[in-house]
Amino acid sequence: MRLFSPQQLAQNAFCPQDYEQLAESYLEKGLFAYLSGGSGQEHSLADNRKAFHEIQLNSRLLNDVSKGSSELTLFNQTLAAPILLAPVAYQSLVDPQGEIATAQAAKTSGIGSVVSTLSSQSLEKVAQAAPPCKLFQLYLQNDDAANQALINRAVEAGYQAIMITLDTSVQSVSLKARRLGFVLHQQVEAVNLRDYDHNQNPTGKTLFQGLMAQAPNWQSLGNWIKQSPIPVWVKGVMHPDDAIQLKQMGVTGIVVSNHGGRALDNSPSPLRVLPAIRKAVGKDFTILMDSGIRDGYDVFKALAMGANAVMLGRLQIYALAVGGAVGVAHMLKLLIEELHLCMALTGCKNLTDIRADKLFIQPTQIQQSL
Amino acid sequence: MRLFSPQQLAQNAFCPQDYEQLAESYLEKGLFAYLSGGSGQEHSLADNRKAFHEIQLNSRLLNDVSKGSSELTLFNQTLAAPILLAPVAYQSLVDPQGEIATAQAAKTSGIGSVVSTLSSQSLEKVAQAAPPCKLFQLYLQNDDAANQALINRAVEAGYQAIMITLDTSVQSVSLKARRLGFVLHQQVEAVNLRDYDHNQNPTGKTLFQGLMAQAPNWQSLGNWIKQSPIPVWVKGVMHPDDAIQLKQMGVTGIVVSNHGGRALDNSPSPLRVLPAIRKAVGKDFTILMDSGIRDGYDVFKALAMGANAVMLGRLQIYALAVGGAVGVAHMLKLLIEELHLCMALTGCKNLTDIRADKLFIQPTQIQQSL
Amino acid sequence: MRLFSPQQLAQNAFCPQDYEQLAESYLEKGLFAYLSGGSGQEHSLADNRKAFHEIQLNSRLLNDVSKGSSELTLFNQTLAAPILLAPVAYQSLVDPQGEIATAQAAKTSGIGSVVSTLSSQSLEKVAQAAPPCKLFQLYLQNDDAANQALINRAVEAGYQAIMITLDTSVQSVSLKARRLGFVLHQQVEAVNLRDYDHNQNPTGKTLFQGLMAQAPNWQSLGNWIKQSPIPVWVKGVMHPDDAIQLKQMGVTGIVVSNHGGRALDNSPSPLRVLPAIRKAVGKDFTILMDSGIRDGYDVFKALAMGANAVMLGRLQIYALAVGGAVGVAHMLKLLIEELHLCMALTGCKNLTDIRADKLFIQPTQIQQSL
Amino acid sequence: MRLFSPQQLAQNAFCPQDYEQLAESYLEKGLFAYLSGGSGQEHSLADNRKAFHEIQLNSRLLNDVSKGSSELTLFNQTLAAPILLAPVAYQSLVDPQGEIATAQAAKTSGIGSVVSTLSSQSLEKVAQAAPPCKLFQLYLQNDDAANQALINRAVEAGYQAIMITLDTSVQSVSLKARRLGFVLHQQVEAVNLRDYDHNQNPTGKTLFQGLMAQAPNWQSLGNWIKQSPIPVWVKGVMHPDDAIQLKQMGVTGIVVSNHGGRALDNSPSPLRVLPAIRKAVGKDFTILMDSGIRDGYDVFKALAMGANAVMLGRLQIYALAVGGAVGVAHMLKLLIEELHLCMALTGCKNLTDIRADKLFIQPTQIQQSL
């Protein structure tokens, strides 16, 4: 039985991660494997957590943070915390309200929200429930007219930016889910794409002649950047050279991400490439980061490593599965409290204080410091 | 059934750590989780042990230590070993005599004792049982009069110094204990604070406007240092810059500590920051260290890394739970024997011999030494 | 019951490694231990996998790989992928068709094949089923006439090269298999050697006077290189100095290999020595690599570390055990798809693009990049 | 039931380590804990194995080792392999013949033997069974006359050297054994000490005033070196400075050892300090090494790191427990075969070839070699 009252949630979830275990107990095995699993042998999925565990924080004393705040201004909107809900596809798999519920939770919590091309509720309906800071995530379709129509609809619905995901020209469904017989397309419909021809299966013999022949390239991305009336972001950046080129092409922000370990397996945790990417694009370019964030400490670490804000995927969907909109809001409350705790005890009055000097770096040779 | 006779203890506890397992078998699950648990995901709790395990000792031959001794002079008192019992709160949770029993054990064993603001026996009663080397640990209250009164009472009762704890402006009770339904305030009373208004719950919306707005700052600490008729120590230091500033403000000594993994989770083991802090304050400033010490080898390592003495928290409370004052004294006997063994086999006649050259540092490249 | 139809295989094996678990469920315990085990305490067997896990890949965006291909030209033959089936001995242990089945799968899949001296089908029969790119693996016999006869037969049968294995002058059968009572020679016959005297047991008291006194040396290898009418390769190279000397002696290519962890235990994974060997022989010398490859990601990593192509041993025999020729072909299909995925998502149009810059190297000190 | 025939042993033990598991199944739990356990929390016991696992070997091709041999000349005696049985105390605990059986096995196997002061058979009886290369291990007694008498008896009995153990001025019996109620002195008698007053319990209050006040010092060691008519060795060296001083005082050889993890817990594996000690004493001084050796690969590694020979403690006693003298000889046969295998496959014709260049050292940065 799912939990819907704040009291029930408070008695069962004491930290954001608790929602994972609770979700596992409610969801059908194959579906949970699909949601929690990664691509390939899940090396990236594991590294996403490992990289956070390798980082430690400098506790400081007597910090005057009485005027402290975790607010962030994005698109002229003030967020209560540097957090956006990531564009998780097909949320009706775990909750009948799906994206509308998570959008409501984001609004209530004062954070941002990114809606997926593959949402189970129409982008227009979700926009109505969503907070002022809302983005539309776009998987570029083979059909140019469809892309144009989707962008137009997003602009009309009030989205502030288009976030184009580029790391999954090839999607790999979790092997665990497949072994359990989970088949995504029997259970969901991509309602936003209902009017377009989006199920063209590539006919090439190899991946190169098939999916990759249809994949977007630098030129097509350039065209969409020029044509979009609202800013364009790119999600899935994992290399400084790609970040530089995107910045030069006019992209407004990037998301450093390995798609939560669902894109190329064996890619490192985005946390490992974040410092080099920050260095490459300079301090004034907006970088979001996702993949592996499970608590407020991780948010703090991601910011100290160079991100302006983070996105939450799995935590969002687990909390949605457990408690609907109320569950997501409760999870966010716990997580933001942890972020505030980190800020207070490391002496960060605001987000710009969260820099690398707040991280503890072990001397390579203990003897040097003796 | 608890063990009270020295014989029973000697047949069940062969090393200090054995008291942990014994305590677990006697105590209610939630209470044991509260005592043994750390904050957050317990990363710091784990690192507190891991850091000790990474250190190895140089065994030396034919050491003439026949005149050896582990004595330390602190506040003109001679301790038999460089050990103080840490200010563990609410000791009546595990033993009806509580702080009186542990103070007696410290006295019998010839070591020092620090009594908590949150003791379950009044600071005056504990002082009577305590050894000559006794300190009063102070959590600064929002009420200045209360702080003044507590300091006056401590001076009058014969405490030699005030140890102000600064690393827990925010306390995080173990998630494990909370999941087990453990609620601290149903079971204990802060008797020392009975006459003061100490339960003001902050009303701010966020941590910043609430607890942190009331937290002590550098200025208020400075005032208490000036006003205190006895020396002031600070507990919870984790950064060289804080240590330098505290020394400059007139603090007499510091405790390098992450509160046994109960303060900011993800902070490193104090052992990792100890060498840099020693370097920062110079060799003549008194540094205590706690967090993660479970045997006499750990005491030796802490001293070799830069501490003058250590404090014992969990070992104290586990031994108290198992065998009362006799249990604590037995645990201390085992631990001091291990310290003596380390000194004898590394060739340390006294505590000043316990320096970094007694630690084995692995060459970074094995080939270099081949 | 074994699986023979493509449908059954597709429903049970979702990645190449799945064949290992399936094989284990079909095969007699001792036989599986023999096939899966390594020499000694299996340190090398474990390191063969660990070395691959330590390597991460750079995911890149918007790669134009629509003309991509994993083709490799070897001996004027075009392979669909840089893969050869390794010369696994006595394949009739797991399938009645044995080497004929695996040769057929290689042919169907467009890759190369290496046939063992110890094949359970005659080298002539296997040659008929094998793909155009076929090599004959030779264990040098004590009897020179036998060696000469084997080389002649291989030339006549159409093999393109002789691959002499040099890392197993002493063979160590898996301790696990021996503990389970597995005895190889009761179950198989080396049909290729039927007409030669190949079972001379050495009579020396020690290994030095026995097996090692009969082992090939640099001079005897030199003779066979000169006498062979077709190119000679050497398998089992693990040191740059050996690689240089082999190149100077006229060897056409080498296989960097620790025999899948079945030769000298405690030797490192070949992946660890590959870069130094590539550096030693220069970029134009052909290097194959085997030992530890379990998926297409591993193939990509081996190439990025310096190999031109890889050989598959255990994956081949597991798939053969599960599904015969069809199983091997299905395993190869899955593995090549993974290789294509890696190429597409790292931006490699062809094999020459798979270089070290496609690997993610963690900065040694995170602070340097902050 | 113990195993006595070579056939039974060969069917149950396939490598030296197999004797450990077999011994565990025969021996009483407390006794096995005493034999297998280490001091303290067994950190050193674990590191003794870990250090060997961190080392890898360079496999080489076409090595001409047909004239190979693992012979070593020690005290003008030729050993078949660089191995001596370590002076394990009270061997009658596991076999009624005890030290006589192990001495016979050493003789049969052509290796050396060191007999303990605490042997359960008299040193004279053991000498008769022992191989030509035999040493007498001496724990210096508080009674000078006893020491003199023991040395005289050893000389008379034909021992070639005295090996004085110096790392256990304080002995710590395994906590595991003590928890299981194992009490050594109820079961054994130190027959060699029967005529001397050797059970003086020190009366000092602390370790310093007690055991350590009676412990040998540099001066008393110097006296015994001068008075001994046969060469003196020292066992338990773990620091280059101690090694240098011992060499200068006239010691003939040293044993780098942490007493198999039974002396100072938290001391590193002797393997880690071996290269620095070899560097300190130069290449012509004899160094033995023990602690952690469980197979022939370990022997090879110890020699490559700087030892001239090794001693076997636990393997000896496990094999004795399982199969008496025949068991020890079988264990030695398996172990020497592994050493020969390592020599053959790394290209070592004799022991002087086993140098550091036979070890594989991982480049610290993989990129450097790419």
Side-chain angles (χ1 to χ4, degrees):
Chain A
M1 201 183 66
R2 293 173 66 203
L3 309 168
F4 284 107
S5 79
Q7 288 75 12
Q8 284 177 303
L9 293 167
Q11 282 160 13
N12 286 276
F14 300 91
C15 67
Q17 283 127 298
D18 284 349
Y19 277 100
E20 177 164 359
Q21 223 177 330
L22 292 169
E24 188 168 11
S25 67
Y26 297 141
L27 297 174
E28 184 267 326
K29 267 179 190 300
L31 174 55
F32 184 78
Y34 164 73
L35 295 171
S36 63
S39 56
Q41 302 300 316
E42 301 191 338
H43 293 299
S44 293
L45 185 73
D47 195 50
N48 288 352
R49 293 301 297 139
K50 185 168 169 282
F52 278 109
H53 292 159
E54 292 173 6
I55 294 179
Q56 296 182 312
L57 306 183
N58 282 328
S59 175
R60 298 301 298 268
L61 298 181
L62 298 167
N63 313 301
D64 180 2
V65 295
S66 55
K67 302 271 186 300
S69 150
S70 61
E71 287 186 358
L72 175 77
T73 301
L74 204 62
F75 301 117
N76 297 318
Q77 306 292 341
T78 300
L79 305 186
I83 299 168
L84 296 90
L85 295 187
V88 178
Y90 303 123
Q91 301 190 3
S92 65
L93 285 168
V94 304
D95 181 280
Q97 292 294 306
E99 290 78 6
I100 290 174
T102 51
Q104 285 170 338
K107 194 176 187 178
T108 306
S109 307
I111 65 161
S113 170
V114 189
V115 180
S116 171
T117 296
L118 304 176
S119 60
S120 40
Q121 300 275 4
S122 80
L123 65 93
E124 287 82 5
K125 275 196 206 162
V126 182
Q128 289 178 342
C133 175
K134 54 178 160 275
L135 293 84
F136 178 69
Q137 178 273 344
L138 179 62
Y139 283 117
L140 287 171
Q141 307 295 309
N142 297 329
D143 173 3
D144 276 359
N147 290 324
Q148 190 63 64
L150 284 164
I151 292 174
N152 290 347
R153 285 171 58 191
V155 173
E156 199 143 330
Y159 290 93
Q160 300 183 292
I162 303 295
M163 180 182 281
I164 301 181
T165 300
L166 292 178
D167 60 7
T168 38
S169 26
V170 187
Q171 285 262 15
S172 316
V173 173
S174 154
L175 292 169
K176 283 180 195 160
R178 292 174 61 197
R179 286 192 195 105
L180 290 165
F182 179 79
V183 182
L184 183 61
H185 294 290
Q186 294 175 342
Q187 310 194 24
V188 293
E189 191 204 346
V191 294
N192 289 326
L193 304 178
R194 198 176 281 171
D195 300 335
Y196 323 120
D197 179 13
H198 65 284
N199 278 326
Q200 304 146 298
N201 280 318
T203 54
K205 198 179 157 196
T206 70
L207 180 65
F208 300 112
Q209 297 146 11
L211 273 174
M212 292 309 294
Q214 303 170 358
N217 52 39
W218 286 104
Q219 196 187 340
S220 60
L221 176 70
N223 290 340
W224 293 117
I225 293 173
K226 276 187 212 130
Q227 286 174 38
S228 173
I230 53 176
V232 170
W233 289 51
V234 164
K235 178 167 176 281
V237 184
M238 287 292 290
H239 198 280
D241 292 351
D242 286 344
I244 290 170
Q245 184 152 356
L246 290 167
K247 186 185 171 191
Q248 287 171 347
M249 288 175 68
V251 158
T252 305
I254 57 173
V255 186
V256 177
S257 164
N258 65 11
H259 216 111
R262 299 164 93 95
L264 175 64
D265 192 26
N266 290 290
S267 68
S269 160
L271 201 65
R272 301 191 192 281
V273 299
L274 190 49
I277 290 178
R278 169 54 74 197
K279 210 173 184 178
V281 298
K283 68 185 168 61
D284 295 327
F285 191 71
T286 306
I287 300 179
L288 305 191
M289 187 268 192
D290 72 17
S291 304
I293 292 171
R294 296 292 182 275
D295 60 32
Y297 300 87
D298 295 341
V299 179
F300 184 92
K301 290 172 183 179
L303 268 62
M305 295 284 279
N308 296 97
V310 304
M311 299 206 303
L312 305 176
R314 285 190 181 80
L315 282 184
Q316 171 193 184
I317 203 76
Y318 294 148
L320 178 65
V322 173
V326 180
V328 178
H330 181 243
M331 177 277 292
L332 286 167
K333 176 175 170 290
L334 293 172
L335 185 134
I336 292 169
E337 283 172 1
E338 289 175 332
L339 172 61
H340 288 178
L341 184 74
C342 289
M343 292 177 68
L345 298 185
T346 59
C348 294
K349 241 185 243 179
N350 48 54
L351 300 187
T352 55
D353 289 341
I354 307 180
R355 287 189 303 262
D357 66 343
K358 302 301 182 289
L359 305 179
F360 174 73
I361 310 291
Q362 173 84 347
T364 39
Q365 261 295 34
I366 212 171
Q367 199 151 34
Q368 293 172 1
S369 54
L370 283 172
Chain B
M1 203 184 66
R2 293 173 66 205
L3 309 168
F4 284 107
S5 79
Q7 288 74 12
Q8 283 176 305
L9 294 167
Q11 282 161 14
N12 286 277
F14 300 92
C15 67
Q17 283 128 298
D18 284 348
Y19 277 100
E20 177 164 357
Q21 225 177 330
L22 292 169
E24 188 168 10
S25 69
Y26 298 141
L27 297 173
E28 184 267 326
K29 266 180 191 299
L31 174 56
F32 184 77
Y34 164 73
L35 296 170
S36 63
S39 57
Q41 303 300 316
E42 303 193 334
H43 293 299
S44 293
L45 186 73
D47 195 50
N48 287 352
R49 294 299 299 139
K50 184 166 169 284
F52 278 109
H53 293 159
E54 291 173 6
I55 293 179
Q56 295 182 312
L57 306 182
N58 282 328
S59 174
R60 299 302 298 268
L61 298 181
L62 297 167
N63 312 302
D64 181 1
V65 295
S66 54
K67 303 271 187 300
S69 151
S70 61
E71 288 185 358
L72 175 77
T73 301
L74 205 62
F75 301 116
N76 296 318
Q77 305 293 341
T78 300
L79 305 185
I83 298 168
L84 296 90
L85 295 188
V88 178
Y90 302 124
Q91 301 190 3
S92 66
L93 284 168
V94 304
D95 180 279
Q97 292 293 306
E99 291 79 4
I100 290 173
T102 51
Q104 286 171 335
K107 194 175 188 179
T108 307
S109 307
I111 65 160
S113 169
V114 190
V115 180
S116 172
T117 296
L118 304 176
S119 59
S120 38
Q121 300 275 5
S122 79
L123 66 90
E124 288 81 5
K125 275 196 206 160
V126 183
Q128 289 179 340
C133 175
K134 53 178 160 277
L135 293 83
F136 178 69
Q137 178 273 342
L138 178 63
Y139 282 118
L140 286 170
Q141 307 295 309
N142 296 328
D143 175 2
D144 275 1
N147 290 324
Q148 189 64 64
L150 285 164
I151 292 174
N152 291 347
R153 286 171 58 191
V155 173
E156 199 144 330
Y159 290 94
Q160 300 183 292
I162 303 295
M163 180 182 282
I164 301 181
T165 300
L166 293 178
D167 59 7
T168 39
S169 27
V170 188
Q171 285 262 16
S172 316
V173 174
S174 154
L175 292 168
K176 282 180 195 160
R178 292 175 61 198
R179 287 192 194 105
L180 290 166
F182 179 79
V183 182
L184 183 61
H185 294 290
Q186 295 176 340
Q187 310 194 23
V188 292
E189 191 204 347
V191 294
N192 289 326
L193 304 178
R194 199 176 279 172
D195 299 334
Y196 323 120
D197 178 15
H198 64 284
N199 280 324
Q200 304 147 298
N201 280 318
T203 54
K205 198 179 156 194
T206 69
L207 180 67
F208 300 112
Q209 297 146 12
L211 273 175
M212 292 309 293
Q214 303 170 357
N217 53 38
W218 287 104
Q219 197 187 338
S220 59
L221 176 70
N223 290 340
W224 292 117
I225 294 174
K226 277 186 211 131
Q227 287 173 38
S228 173
I230 52 176
V232 170
W233 288 51
V234 165
K235 176 166 177 281
V237 185
M238 288 292 289
H239 199 280
D241 292 351
D242 286 344
I244 290 170
Q245 184 153 355
L246 290 167
K247 186 186 170 191
Q248 287 171 346
M249 288 175 69
V251 158
T252 306
I254 56 174
V255 186
V256 177
S257 165
N258 65 11
H259 214 112
R262 300 164 94 95
L264 175 65
D265 193 27
N266 289 288
S267 68
S269 159
L271 202 65
R272 300 192 193 280
V273 299
L274 189 50
I277 290 179
R278 169 54 73 197
K279 210 173 182 177
V281 298
K283 67 187 169 59
D284 295 327
F285 191 71
T286 306
I287 299 178
L288 305 192
M289 187 267 190
D290 72 15
S291 303
I293 291 171
R294 296 291 182 276
D295 60 32
Y297 302 88
D298 296 341
V299 178
F300 184 92
K301 290 173 182 178
L303 268 61
M305 295 284 278
N308 296 97
V310 304
M311 298 206 303
L312 303 177
R314 285 191 181 80
L315 282 184
Q316 171 192 183
I317 203 75
Y318 294 148
L320 178 65
V322 173
V326 181
V328 178
H330 181 244
M331 177 277 292
L332 287 167
K333 178 176 170 289
L334 293 172
L335 185 134
I336 292 169
E337 284 172 1
E338 289 175 333
L339 172 62
H340 288 176
L341 184 74
C342 289
M343 292 178 67
L345 299 185
T346 59
C348 295
K349 242 186 242 177
N350 48 55
L351 301 186
T352 56
D353 289 340
I354 307 180
R355 287 190 302 262
D357 66 343
K358 301 301 182 289
L359 305 179
F360 173 74
I361 310 291
Q362 173 84 347
T364 39
Q365 261 295 34
I366 210 170
Q367 199 151 34
Q368 293 172 0
S369 53
L370 284 171
Chain C
M1 200 183 68
R2 293 174 64 202
L3 307 168
F4 284 108
S5 80
Q7 288 75 10
Q8 285 176 303
L9 293 167
Q11 281 159 14
N12 286 278
F14 300 91
C15 67
Q17 282 126 300
D18 285 348
Y19 277 101
E20 178 164 359
Q21 223 177 330
L22 293 168
E24 187 169 10
S25 67
Y26 297 141
L27 297 174
E28 183 268 326
K29 267 179 190 298
L31 174 55
F32 184 77
Y34 163 73
L35 295 171
S36 63
S39 57
Q41 302 299 318
E42 301 192 338
H43 294 299
S44 292
L45 186 73
D47 195 50
N48 288 352
R49 293 301 297 139
K50 186 167 169 282
F52 278 110
H53 292 159
E54 291 173 7
I55 294 178
Q56 296 183 311
L57 306 183
N58 282 327
S59 174
R60 298 302 299 269
L61 299 181
L62 297 166
N63 313 302
D64 181 1
V65 294
S66 55
K67 304 271 186 303
S69 150
S70 60
E71 287 185 357
L72 175 76
T73 301
L74 204 63
F75 301 115
N76 297 317
Q77 305 293 340
T78 300
L79 306 185
I83 299 167
L84 296 90
L85 295 187
V88 178
Y90 303 123
Q91 301 190 3
S92 66
L93 283 168
V94 303
D95 181 280
Q97 291 294 306
E99 290 79 3
I100 290 174
T102 51
Q104 285 170 337
K107 192 176 189 179
T108 307
S109 307
I111 65 161
S113 170
V114 189
V115 180
S116 172
T117 296
L118 304 176
S119 59
S120 39
Q121 300 274 4
S122 79
L123 66 92
E124 287 81 5
K125 274 196 206 161
V126 183
Q128 289 177 341
C133 175
K134 54 178 159 276
L135 292 83
F136 178 69
Q137 178 273 341
L138 178 64
Y139 282 118
L140 286 170
Q141 307 294 309
N142 296 328
D143 174 3
D144 276 0
N147 291 323
Q148 189 64 63
L150 285 164
I151 293 174
N152 290 347
R153 285 171 58 190
V155 173
E156 199 144 329
Y159 290 93
Q160 299 182 295
I162 302 295
M163 179 182 283
I164 301 181
T165 300
L166 293 178
D167 60 8
T168 38
S169 26
V170 188
Q171 285 263 14
S172 316
V173 173
S174 155
L175 292 168
K176 284 180 195 160
R178 291 175 60 199
R179 287 193 194 106
L180 290 165
F182 179 79
V183 182
L184 183 60
H185 295 289
Q186 295 176 340
Q187 311 193 24
V188 293
E189 190 205 348
V191 294
N192 289 326
L193 305 178
R194 198 175 281 170
D195 299 334
Y196 323 122
D197 178 15
H198 64 286
N199 278 326
Q200 305 149 294
N201 280 318
T203 54
K205 198 179 156 195
T206 70
L207 181 66
F208 300 113
Q209 297 145 10
L211 273 174
M212 292 310 292
Q214 303 170 358
N217 53 38
W218 287 103
Q219 196 186 342
S220 59
L221 176 70
N223 290 341
W224 293 117
I225 294 173
K226 277 186 212 131
Q227 286 174 38
S228 173
I230 53 175
V232 170
W233 289 51
V234 164
K235 178 167 176 282
V237 184
M238 287 291 290
H239 199 282
D241 293 350
D242 286 343
I244 290 170
Q245 182 152 357
L246 290 167
K247 186 184 170 192
Q248 287 171 346
M249 287 174 68
V251 158
T252 305
I254 57 175
V255 186
V256 176
S257 165
N258 66 10
H259 216 111
R262 301 165 92 95
L264 175 65
D265 193 24
N266 290 287
S267 68
S269 159
L271 202 64
R272 301 192 192 279
V273 299
L274 190 49
I277 291 178
R278 168 55 73 198
K279 210 173 183 177
V281 298
K283 68 185 168 61
D284 295 327
F285 190 71
T286 305
I287 300 180
L288 306 191
M289 187 268 192
D290 71 18
S291 304
I293 292 170
R294 296 292 182 278
D295 60 32
Y297 301 88
D298 295 341
V299 178
F300 185 91
K301 290 173 182 178
L303 268 61
M305 294 285 278
N308 296 97
V310 303
M311 299 206 301
L312 304 177
R314 284 189 181 80
L315 282 184
Q316 172 193 183
I317 203 77
Y318 294 148
L320 178 66
V322 173
V326 181
V328 178
H330 181 244
M331 177 277 291
L332 287 167
K333 177 175 170 291
L334 293 172
L335 185 134
I336 293 169
E337 283 172 2
E338 289 175 332
L339 172 62
H340 288 176
L341 184 74
C342 289
M343 292 178 67
L345 299 185
T346 58
C348 295
K349 242 185 241 178
N350 48 54
L351 301 186
T352 57
D353 289 340
I354 307 180
R355 287 189 303 262
D357 65 343
K358 301 302 181 288
L359 304 179
F360 173 74
I361 310 290
Q362 174 84 348
T364 39
Q365 260 295 35
I366 211 170
Q367 199 151 34
Q368 293 174 0
S369 54
L370 284 170
Chain D
M1 202 183 67
R2 294 174 66 205
L3 308 167
F4 285 108
S5 79
Q7 288 75 11
Q8 283 176 304
L9 294 167
Q11 280 161 15
N12 286 277
F14 300 91
C15 67
Q17 282 127 298
D18 284 349
Y19 277 100
E20 177 164 359
Q21 223 177 329
L22 293 168
E24 187 169 11
S25 67
Y26 298 141
L27 297 174
E28 184 267 327
K29 267 180 190 298
L31 174 56
F32 184 78
Y34 164 73
L35 295 171
S36 62
S39 57
Q41 303 299 318
E42 303 192 335
H43 293 298
S44 292
L45 185 73
D47 194 50
N48 287 352
R49 293 300 298 138
K50 186 167 169 283
F52 278 109
H53 292 160
E54 291 173 6
I55 293 179
Q56 296 183 311
L57 306 182
N58 283 327
S59 174
R60 300 300 300 268
L61 299 180
L62 297 166
N63 313 300
D64 181 2
V65 293
S66 55
K67 303 269 186 303
S69 151
S70 61
E71 287 185 358
L72 174 77
T73 300
L74 204 62
F75 301 115
N76 296 318
Q77 305 293 341
T78 299
L79 305 185
I83 298 168
L84 297 89
L85 295 188
V88 177
Y90 303 123
Q91 301 189 3
S92 65
L93 284 168
V94 303
D95 181 279
Q97 291 293 307
E99 290 79 2
I100 291 174
T102 51
Q104 286 170 336
K107 192 175 189 178
T108 307
S109 307
I111 65 161
S113 169
V114 189
V115 179
S116 173
T117 295
L118 304 176
S119 59
S120 37
Q121 300 275 4
S122 78
L123 65 92
E124 287 82 5
K125 274 196 206 160
V126 182
Q128 289 178 341
C133 175
K134 54 178 158 277
L135 293 83
F136 178 68
Q137 179 272 341
L138 178 63
Y139 283 117
L140 286 170
Q141 307 294 310
N142 296 329
D143 175 2
D144 275 1
N147 291 323
Q148 189 64 64
L150 285 164
I151 293 174
N152 290 346
R153 286 171 58 191
V155 173
E156 198 144 329
Y159 289 94
Q160 300 182 293
I162 302 295
M163 180 182 283
I164 300 181
T165 299
L166 292 179
D167 59 7
T168 38
S169 26
V170 188
Q171 284 262 15
S172 317
V173 173
S174 155
L175 292 169
K176 283 180 196 160
R178 291 175 60 198
R179 287 193 195 105
L180 291 166
F182 178 79
V183 182
L184 183 60
H185 295 289
Q186 295 176 339
Q187 311 194 24
V188 292
E189 190 204 347
V191 293
N192 289 326
L193 305 179
R194 198 176 281 173
D195 299 334
Y196 323 121
D197 177 15
H198 64 285
N199 279 326
Q200 304 147 297
N201 280 320
T203 55
K205 197 179 157 195
T206 70
L207 180 66
F208 300 113
Q209 296 146 12
L211 273 174
M212 291 310 293
Q214 304 169 357
N217 53 38
W218 287 104
Q219 197 187 339
S220 59
L221 176 70
N223 289 342
W224 293 118
I225 294 173
K226 276 186 213 130
Q227 286 174 37
S228 174
I230 52 176
V232 170
W233 289 51
V234 165
K235 177 165 176 283
V237 185
M238 287 292 290
H239 199 282
D241 293 349
D242 286 343
I244 290 171
Q245 183 152 356
L246 290 168
K247 186 185 170 192
Q248 287 170 346
M249 287 175 69
V251 157
T252 307
I254 57 175
V255 185
V256 177
S257 165
N258 65 10
H259 215 112
R262 300 164 93 95
L264 175 64
D265 193 26
N266 289 287
S267 68
S269 160
L271 202 65
R272 301 192 192 279
V273 299
L274 189 49
I277 291 178
R278 168 55 72 199
K279 211 174 182 177
V281 298
K283 67 185 170 60
D284 295 328
F285 191 71
T286 306
I287 299 179
L288 305 193
M289 187 268 192
D290 72 17
S291 303
I293 292 171
R294 296 292 182 277
D295 60 31
Y297 301 88
D298 295 341
V299 178
F300 184 92
K301 290 173 182 179
L303 268 61
M305 295 285 278
N308 296 97
V310 303
M311 298 207 301
L312 304 176
R314 285 190 181 79
L315 283 184
Q316 172 193 181
I317 203 75
Y318 295 148
L320 178 65
V322 173
V326 180
V328 178
H330 182 244
M331 178 277 292
L332 288 167
K333 176 176 170 289
L334 293 172
L335 185 134
I336 293 170
E337 283 172 1
E338 288 175 332
L339 172 62
H340 288 176
L341 184 74
C342 289
M343 292 178 68
L345 298 185
T346 59
C348 294
K349 243 185 243 180
N350 48 55
L351 301 186
T352 56
D353 290 339
I354 307 181
R355 288 190 302 261
D357 66 342
K358 301 301 181 288
L359 304 179
F360 174 74
I361 310 290
Q362 174 84 349
T364 40
Q365 261 295 35
I366 210 168
Q367 199 152 34
Q368 292 173 359
S369 54
L370 284 170

